[in-house]
Amino acid sequence: MILRLALAFSLVATPVMATEWRLKEGDRPLNAAELEALAGRTLTFYDDGRSTYSAGGSFSYTYSLANGGGTAFGTYHIAEDGSICTRFRNGLGRCDLYVLNGTRMLLITEKGERYPVRPE
């Protein structure tokens, strides 16, 4: 029973490590220099949610007012596959992949959901 609980907790608290990203034609994952350049930037999505990547590895996501407002805090790191993995203060985590398709930047979740980033 304890082993099952420990396994269940680790599955919830740990992002999927080997994700097969659902890329579409024209998607190009950000390269290492582009990923490192995210530090110190805030990316705004079309629902007005904002992801902020600090140079020191801190992360925050501020929900739009239409989605209840509020901010979730955590840390992030760049994984070997080029995804950005976030660990939130509540213990949950996930990895996302940023791609460019033409001039548009998009965030792709592990589930394959695609969220375009507003141009700056």
Side-chain angles (χ1 to χ4, degrees):
M1 179 67 153
I2 293 174
L3 181 59
R4 279 191 224 162
L5 288 174
L7 180 60
F9 177 75
S10 69
L11 291 175
V12 171
T14 304
V16 175
M17 297 307 285
T19 299
E20 291 212 17
W21 299 102
R22 297 180 195 166
L23 301 179
K24 292 189 176 182
E25 186 174 335
D27 285 348
R28 179 186 65 78
L30 298 187
N31 62 38
E34 292 166 326
L35 288 167
E36 289 176 19
L38 291 176
R41 289 184 59 194
T42 297
L43 302 177
T44 303
F45 297 89
Y46 280 89
D47 69 350
D48 291 326
R50 295 185 317 274
S51 289
T52 301
Y53 298 92
S54 298
S58 295
F59 172 81
S60 66
Y61 182 81
T62 302
Y63 293 88
S64 68
L65 292 179
N67 288 318
T71 302
F73 296 96
T75 59
Y76 76 95
H77 75 276
I78 299 169
E80 287 183 28
D81 69 353
S83 61
I84 295 187
C85 296
T86 306
R87 168 79 53 207
F88 294 96
R89 286 184 184 167
N90 66 5
L92 298 178
R94 63 184 245 189
C95 295
D96 299 307
L97 186 71
Y98 281 100
V99 300
L100 291 175
N101 191 308
T103 59
R104 176 173 272 184
M105 183 187 293
L106 299 106
L107 176 143
I108 301 174
T109 69
E110 293 168 327
K111 295 178 183 177
E113 300 163 324
R114 299 170 66 88
Y115 297 98
V117 176
R118 285 188 179 176
E120 296 179 333

